């Protein structure tokens, strides 16, 4: 009877060890699946930022004659914000 109890406790301990290992393995798999996605997102953001930087750089380097005057900008309709009194 005592041996059965010890055997059961050993099996329960092994079960807990295997569950912990399963969690570690799942986390490792998730991290390995997530890493390439994050790299692609980072590279896309870097490319987007470099494109924006080039456009801003070009705008900063243009001559004064190339800057449009405010009179050439069409008038925009007024922006009407919702009243804060009527919530």
């Amino acid at each position: 009877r005592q041996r059965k109890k010890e055997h059961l406790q050993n099996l329960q301990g092994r079960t807990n060890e295997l569950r912990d290992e399963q969690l570690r393995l799942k986390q490792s798999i998730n991290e390995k699946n997530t890493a390439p996605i994050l790299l692609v997102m980072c590279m896309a953001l870097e490319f987007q930022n470099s494109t924006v930087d080039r456009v801003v750089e070009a705008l900063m380097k243009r001559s004064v004659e190339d800057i449009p005057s405010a009179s050439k900008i069409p008038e925009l309709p007024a922006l009407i914000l919702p009243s804060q009194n009527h919530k």
Side-chain angles (χ1 to χ4, degrees):
R1 200 169 156 100
Q2 181 65 25
R3 276 191 238 154
K4 284 184 180 181
K5 187 175 181 180
E6 287 176 7
H7 185 66
L8 180 60
Q9 288 175 342
N10 288 338
L11 290 175
Q12 288 173 339
R14 181 71 176 137
T15 301
N16 291 336
E17 290 173 10
L18 290 172
R19 281 190 189 132
D20 292 343
E21 184 179 0
Q22 178 188 23
L23 290 175
R24 283 192 304 275
L25 289 172
K26 281 185 177 184
Q27 183 176 1
S28 179
I29 290 169
N30 285 338
E31 289 171 355
K32 288 181 182 191
N33 289 336
T34 303
I37 295 168
L38 293 175
L39 284 172
V40 168
M41 289 172 60
C42 184
M43 288 171 36
L45 183 59
E46 220 172 272
F47 175 76
Q48 183 181 14
N49 286 342
S50 67
T51 304
V52 170
D53 289 345
R54 280 186 259 135
V55 170
V56 170
E57 189 70 29
L59 289 172
M60 295 294 289
K61 290 183 177 181
R62 66 186 171 179
S63 67
V64 175
E65 294 82 27
D66 291 336
I67 300 174
S69 72
S71 63
K72 293 182 182 177
I73 299 173
E75 191 172 323
L76 297 173
L79 179 62
I80 301 171
L81 299 173
S83 174
Q84 293 183 358
N85 296 336
H86 299 92
K87 286 188 176 183

